[in-house]
Amino acid sequence: MSPESLGESAARAVAAGAREVRAHPRTPCGGTSLSPRVLAPVLDSVRAAVGAPVRVTTDTAAEPDRGRLLERIRSWDVLPDLVSVDWHEPGAEEAAAALMERGIGVEAALWARTDGPALFARSPLAPRVLRVVARAPALNRGPETGPSAEAAARSLLAGLEPGLPPGTPVLLHGEGDGAWPVLRLARRLGLAARIGLEDTLLLPDGTPARSNAELVTAALAGTS
């Protein structure tokens, strides 16, 4: 959880083939935080360890007070390369606008089974986001996990398409038991994909992953 350990984990993941890093800055007690005193050391450590873009998220776990979130963004002295905004959460549009005002890239996280996609389709900021992250829903373990995860992801993409500005890049990912089926679908469709301990703790064969780097290695081995 320390800046140093996050930097080391990021370095191993990039060495395994990851092209960018998503970090969750944490306080010494383990809670996620977007305080400049917490964010800056993490960004500095990760950047010193990798030659890849570093992104963070504004989700409510990182800052539940939406008014304070805007204060946080305006007080950052070290800036991330890209910030993910969960468009279904309260204050998402205001957060995205504040980030853009500071010249920080924004990606719109659009979750299945939320009103995020509809809100994003109506947003005047939609043409200015750098990427859309489509998040397929988590599924329970079972023999139909693979087919149902792929079906859910395809349904999400079909619903997003009418509201996406032309040429908007899309990153597709799943979570839990759906993480690997959705990753394989993303690669077949030519979309960006992601994998990490945030999404799944298991390798494709069901054994526990020991690191983010091990997940990245497995992802590239299965999609090359």
Side-chain angles (χ1 to χ4, degrees):
M1 295 188 293
S2 70
E4 295 76 19
S5 65
L6 290 174
E8 292 168 3
S9 178
R12 291 193 295 270
V14 169
R19 294 185 179 178
E20 62 183 67
V21 174
R22 173 177 163 106
H24 293 271
R26 295 182 181 273
T27 66
C29 296
T32 55
S33 174
L34 292 175
S35 162
R37 291 181 297 178
V38 178
L39 176 65
V42 169
L43 293 178
D44 288 342
S45 177
V46 174
R47 284 182 172 140
V50 304
V54 183
R55 60 187 175 111
V56 297
T57 175
T58 62
D59 64 18
T60 52
E63 183 49 74
D65 186 327
R66 298 286 91 179
R68 193 178 187 189
L69 171 61
L70 301 181
E71 296 176 6
R72 296 289 203 203
I73 292 170
R74 292 168 182 148
S75 68
W76 290 343
D77 48 1
V78 179
L79 304 182
D81 296 292
L82 191 65
V83 175
S84 180
V85 177
D86 292 342
W87 224 265
H88 64 281
E89 292 189 339
E93 190 130 346
E94 292 80 2
L99 291 163
M100 291 174 180
E101 287 172 6
R102 298 219 58 192
I104 302 170
V106 172
E107 63 178 13
L110 306 181
W111 292 28
R113 301 175 182 169
T114 72
D115 59 356
L119 293 172
F120 179 74
R122 299 194 297 268
S123 173
L125 299 180
R128 298 176 58 190
V129 305
L130 299 185
R131 181 170 66 190
V132 160
V133 176
R135 178 172 173 170
L139 300 165
N140 295 323
R141 180 177 294 279
E144 299 302 318
T145 294
S148 58
E150 180 174 328
R154 288 186 180 276
S155 176
L156 172 60
L157 292 173
L160 293 180
E161 188 173 357
L164 291 183
T168 303
V170 175
L171 182 152
L172 175 65
H173 79 97
E175 55 184 356
D177 295 328
W180 290 107
V182 172
L183 182 142
R184 289 189 287 268
L185 173 65
R187 297 303 297 263
R188 291 199 303 272
L189 296 177
L191 302 176
R194 86 177 202 196
I195 199 70
L197 295 171
E198 179 181 5
D199 298 327
T200 180
L201 302 177
L202 302 177
L203 294 168
D205 64 3
T207 59
R210 294 172 295 181
S211 65
N212 286 305
E214 193 171 30
L215 290 170
V216 172
T217 298
L220 293 176
T223 56
S224 60

